[in-house]
Amino acid sequence: MDLVLKVLDPIVLDSAYERVKSSLQSRACEQFDDQVDIFSSSVGNITLATNTRLCDLVSHSKIWESNDVRRQSISIFIFTLVSSFSLYLILGRICYRTNFDTRWRTEPKFHKYQVREEITQSLTTLFWLNVFTVPIFLGQIYGYARIYAFGEASLIYETLQYPLFILFSDAGMYWLHRMFHVPVLFRWMHKHHHYYVVPTPFAAYAFHLIPYIISLPIYAFSYILPMSNVAQLVVFIWTFAWTFFVRECLLFCSSLCFR
C-alpha cells in the first residue's frame, strides 16, 4: 500500500487534500473574521474562542501532511473502498451477463429481489472490510510487515513468492473455513454465507463480517514472509477477482447439469 500512496499522493491526493483544507479554511477562518466585531457578550466570546481554535486546527493541523498517519488512514480507506466497490460492480456485472444462466431465476429458491439483496449486502460488507483492513495496511507502511521494494530480492524469490502466497493463503483459508462449518459457529456466523441457494455473482461478498477472519491469511503472509510492494498490489487485485472466479466455476458446472 505504500507504493499506492507514493503514486497517488503527487498525482491526485496532495491537490485533493489541499482543496479540502482551503475549503475548510474559507469557512472556518472567514466566519471567524466576520464575527470579530459582532460579539461582545460572554456568549460571543465563547463563540469567538471556538472559532479561533477551529481556524487554528484547520490551518496548522499535521493531518494535511502526506506522512501523517491520519491522512494515510483516510487515503488507504478511500482507495480500497473505491477500488473494491468498482471491481465488485464491474466483475459482478460481467460475470452475471456472460456466465449466469438466467434460467436459474425460475428456481423456487431464487428470491424475488435476490440480486438487489446480494448487491446491498456485499457493498455493506465491503465497506466494513475496508475499515478493518486499514490498520493492516498501516502496519505494512510503518515497517511491521516484511514488505520490500520490488527488485531488492533475487529474481528467483520475486517469482517464488507468488506460489508461496497461494499455498499459504489457500491452506490457511481452507482450515479457517472448515472451522466455521463447526455447527455452533456455522449457525451463529457462517450460515448467512450459504443463505442464497442459487447465488448470482453479486453474492460474492454477501456474508457475515466476523468470518472475515477467513481472509486473514491473505494479509498475514506479508507479516510472516517477505513480499514485494508490487506483489502486494497484484495479490490485492487477484484475490478480489478470485472470489468471483471460484463462484463462476461452480455456476458454470451447475449450469451444465441444469441443461
Side-chain angles (χ1 to χ4, degrees):
M1 198 54 63
D2 186 40
L3 177 64
V4 172
L5 295 184
K6 286 181 179 178
V7 172
L8 292 182
D9 275 341
I11 295 176
V12 63
L13 293 180
D14 287 341
S15 58
Y17 281 108
E18 187 60 35
R19 285 196 296 270
V20 173
K21 179 182 178 181
S22 299
S23 177
L24 292 176
Q25 279 181 318
S26 64
R27 294 185 180 185
C29 300
E30 288 181 9
Q31 183 181 11
F32 162 68
D33 292 336
D34 293 339
Q35 293 175 345
V36 169
D37 297 327
I38 297 177
F39 294 105
S40 58
S41 64
S42 58
V43 175
N45 291 332
I46 294 174
T47 304
L48 286 174
T50 302
N51 287 343
T52 302
R53 287 194 294 269
L54 181 60
C55 179
D56 184 67
L57 178 64
V58 171
S59 301
H60 304 292
S61 175
K62 292 185 177 181
I63 194 174
W64 311 113
E65 299 177 5
S66 59
N67 60 349
D68 185 84
V69 67
R70 293 166 296 179
R71 168 172 160 168
Q72 291 172 332
S73 300
I74 295 171
S75 299
I76 291 171
F77 175 72
I78 292 175
F79 170 76
T80 54
L81 185 71
V82 172
S83 58
S84 61
F85 273 28
S86 301
L87 284 172
Y88 167 78
L89 294 173
I90 292 171
L91 289 174
R93 183 72 172 177
I94 292 174
C95 293
Y96 184 81
R97 287 294 186 183
T98 59
N99 197 41
F100 183 74
D101 193 334
T102 54
R103 288 178 294 177
W104 283 108
R105 297 178 66 96
T106 62
E107 284 290 300
K109 294 184 178 181
F110 192 91
H111 305 171
K112 183 178 180 180
Y113 301 106
Q114 180 172 314
V115 174
R116 184 189 305 174
E117 293 173 358
E118 290 173 341
I119 293 174
T120 301
Q121 293 174 10
S122 291
L123 291 178
T124 302
T125 299
L126 284 173
F127 176 87
W128 289 109
L129 290 184
N130 286 304
V131 171
F132 296 148
T133 52
V134 167
I136 297 175
F137 288 133
L138 280 176
Q140 294 174 342
I141 291 175
Y142 283 89
Y144 294 101
R146 304 184 67 182
I147 300 290
Y148 64 89
F150 177 77
E152 291 183 355
S154 65
L155 180 60
I156 294 177
Y157 188 78
E158 290 288 359
T159 306
L160 187 62
Q161 64 183 306
Y162 292 99
L164 283 176
F165 170 81
I166 294 173
L167 179 63
F168 177 88
S169 59
D170 274 19
M173 287 189 292
Y174 170 80
W175 287 108
L176 286 172
H177 197 170
R178 284 288 299 270
M179 179 184 73
F180 279 104
H181 276 263
V182 172
V184 175
L185 295 178
F186 184 86
R187 288 193 300 269
W188 181 37
M189 293 180 290
H190 197 56
K191 184 179 180 179
H192 182 74
H193 181 61
H194 297 274
Y195 174 70
Y196 299 109
V197 180
V198 188
T200 75
F202 290 110
Y205 284 88
F207 52 77
H208 196 284
L209 280 173
I210 295 179
Y212 158 70
I213 66 172
I214 292 175
S215 65
L216 286 182
I218 295 173
Y219 306 100
F221 180 85
S222 64
Y223 283 83
I224 298 173
L225 294 173
M227 188 179 203
S228 76
N229 50 8
V230 172
Q232 182 204 19
L233 185 59
V234 171
V235 161
F236 174 78
I237 297 173
W238 166 250
T239 52
F240 193 93
W242 173 83
T243 305
F244 284 93
F245 297 153
V246 170
R247 287 180 174 272
E248 286 307 289
C249 290
L250 295 175
L251 286 172
F252 179 73
C253 294
S254 299
S255 64
L256 291 179
C257 296
F258 189 81
R259 293 169 187 168

